[in-house]
Amino acid sequence: MSCRVRREASFWDTLAPSMILAANHAPPRRYEHVTENSRCKLYQPARILRRTGTYHHWLKPALSLEGEFMLIASFPGENIQRQRVGVAEARPPAVPNWLVHRPDTSEVFLSHWERTGDDRFNVTLRWPENHPFHTALHGFRSPTLIAEAIRQAGILISHAEFGVPLGHHFLMSDLNYTIEPELVEADDDSPVHIDVTCSDIRRRGTRFSGMTCHMRLVRGGRVIATGDGSLACTSPGAYRRMRGEFADARPVLPVPEPVHPSLVLRTEPRDVLLAPTRDPRCWTLRSHTENTTLFAHPNDHVPGMALMEATHQAAFAVAGSTRLYPTSLRLAFERYAEFDTPCLIQAQPVTRNRDNTLSLSITGHQSGRRVFLALLEAIPVSP
């Protein structure tokens, strides 16, 4: 059976470019993931789910993404055995990758969410399996992995609960984390939940435009990490006007040769974001697009998560033979890091605190202006 998708502006315009069809009866049926204005195949007779409001009012209890198909139940209270497609049985299914702005399901680190209060949510963390970039650091989970989970949780809640249309741009002004390393051992796959509290929620008219997210990562009743960050949302048109001549910018190739990967605790040159200069505490940022985790899709500026990883690598490089595990980062973005001008990453000497933690500040400068400021704390780790 085939049908033509009927468009309803209040629903489809909010959800485009991805669309979902759902059955109005049990058991759940399986449908193809289709794009706007295309034809769709219904595996079982059904009709389009019609409800008032935008998609985020019903998406959460109805949907999970299984490989390249969506499995949708129209009654959230039913006890339904979900079919898994291309997902290991031991792992929970990922949320749709387009709800966290990742092109590949293997890069999605969240599996479920629910509202627990007016502005509070609970999100289930989904640790990656054998990820080529988010590898263990000294036997602990990578700080960049934890920061990425925090970033994804903020974007997920913005789309699924506050109705931000797909295709809108997210602007981060800061991203922070604090980690209890003894509680994030790399081989511990126990369930972790992210308790999200939203504050300073901003709107333009009735449309959501930004907020600050405060998060606690909890395992077995113990807080293993905390994080927070502020984000703003803007339409594609407004974003292009804001970016002006840089709206269509792309990375400049080739990139400069990297420092030796071992200096920044990496094994592959494509994962190294620092190129040497004459100053041993200053490096040129490398926008190496072969790293498909940090440069997952075309962008007109260096992504914020790439700047965070560059901050970590600068800390490892300046520490030399001292093995560091970052436990706290306060990262403030002051302007975009552009592709057309060298961005210099500078690290101050490491200082030791009374509690044996180490601290340093790292900055990015471009054309004489500061791009970001990072304040990082770490602990020395024995070999």
Side-chain angles (χ1 to χ4, degrees):
M1 173 181 176
S2 297
C3 73
R4 174 71 66 176
V5 173
R6 290 187 60 186
R7 293 196 44 155
E8 298 180 17
S10 62
F11 175 79
W12 296 114
D13 289 347
T14 301
L15 191 55
S18 296
M19 298 193 291
I20 302 166
L21 301 183
N24 70 330
H25 57 277
R29 304 297 193 233
R30 193 170 66 175
Y31 304 98
E32 286 187 329
H33 185 197
V34 297
T35 55
E36 188 173 4
N37 294 327
S38 70
R39 296 187 66 86
C40 60
K41 292 182 179 178
L42 304 189
Y43 285 86
Q44 297 289 342
R47 66 177 177 82
I48 295 174
L49 177 65
R50 300 173 185 271
R51 294 192 186 180
T52 58
T54 54
Y55 78 99
H56 63 284
H57 294 139
W58 59 268
L59 181 63
K60 171 176 61 65
L63 176 151
S64 68
L65 190 66
E66 313 286 358
E68 63 181 13
F69 294 99
M70 291 183 179
L71 192 64
I72 302 177
S74 46
F75 301 100
E78 292 175 348
N79 182 15
I80 295 171
Q81 181 64 40
R82 294 176 176 176
Q83 177 182 358
R84 299 179 185 274
V85 179
V87 179
E89 290 296 330
R91 301 182 69 211
V95 301
N97 59 315
W98 35 266
L99 281 181
V100 294
H101 297 187
R102 306 303 296 177
D104 194 303
T105 303
S106 66
E107 301 281 353
V108 178
F109 304 145
L110 309 177
S111 67
H112 174 75
W113 79 96
E114 62 181 348
R115 182 184 289 268
T116 59
D118 289 343
D119 298 316
R120 294 191 63 178
F121 308 89
N122 185 277
V123 182
T124 302
L125 186 58
R126 177 179 183 264
W127 295 120
E129 289 185 327
N130 301 318
H131 197 283
F133 181 75
H134 292 296
T135 54
L137 179 61
H138 309 316
F140 306 113
R141 295 286 185 182
S142 163
T144 306
L145 168 60
I146 294 175
E148 172 63 14
I150 291 170
R151 185 195 75 88
Q152 290 187 15
I155 294 175
L156 169 68
I157 296 302
S158 299
H159 281 309
E161 295 291 343
F162 289 103
V164 175
L166 300 176
H168 274 45
H169 292 262
F170 283 69
L171 317 176
M172 287 192 302
S173 58
D174 59 90
L175 185 61
N176 313 304
Y177 68 72
T178 300
I179 301 171
E180 299 292 338
E182 68 276 8
L183 300 180
V184 290
E185 294 182 356
D187 58 356
D188 189 344
D189 292 325
S190 304
V192 174
H193 298 275
I194 307 176
D195 180 18
V196 184
T197 302
C198 304
S199 66
D200 188 27
I201 298 173
R202 303 179 297 279
R203 290 182 170 84
R204 293 189 181 95
T206 60
R207 173 165 288 184
F208 174 90
S209 64
M211 65 178 172
T212 298
C213 294
H214 310 271
M215 307 192 193
R216 298 189 312 150
L217 281 68
V218 182
R219 172 194 281 138
R222 303 183 68 180
V223 177
I224 66 173
T226 60
D228 59 79
S230 300
L231 58 85
C233 307
T234 185
S235 67
Y239 180 79
R240 288 190 65 86
R241 290 192 295 272
M242 177 181 63
R243 293 291 288 147
E245 62 180 310
F246 296 106
D248 297 314
R250 291 295 180 265
V252 177
L253 298 176
V255 297
E257 290 298 310
V259 301
H260 195 279
S262 63
L263 182 65
V264 294
L265 307 186
R266 288 293 175 181
T267 58
E268 298 293 335
R270 68 172 178 269
D271 295 335
V272 178
L273 297 181
L274 305 182
T277 69
R278 295 181 179 179
D279 185 342
R281 293 198 299 268
C282 180
W283 305 268
T284 301
L285 180 67
R286 303 176 72 240
S287 298
H288 203 316
T289 55
E290 286 188 13
N291 183 311
T292 56
T293 294
L294 297 177
F295 297 88
H297 48 76
N299 210 333
D300 59 26
H301 62 276
V302 180
M305 293 306 294
L307 298 178
M308 171 173 283
E309 173 63 16
T311 295
H312 290 150
Q313 293 188 11
F316 301 146
V318 77
S321 60
T322 303
R323 292 158 48 98
L324 296 184
Y325 182 85
T327 57
S328 175
L329 181 66
R330 299 289 178 266
L331 178 57
F333 302 101
E334 299 180 10
R335 53 180 40 86
Y336 290 103
E338 308 293 355
F339 288 128
D340 65 340
T341 306
C343 181
L344 296 179
I345 309 297
Q346 297 172 297
Q348 300 300 317
V350 175
T351 59
R352 186 176 295 271
N353 305 318
R354 290 183 178 181
D355 59 359
N356 202 37
T357 61
L358 307 175
S359 62
L360 70 159
S361 64
I362 300 166
T363 57
H365 284 83
Q366 198 168 44
S367 301
R369 298 186 299 175
R370 193 165 72 185
V371 174
F372 70 85
L373 169 64
L375 302 176
L376 183 143
E377 291 189 351
I379 57 172
V381 179
S382 301

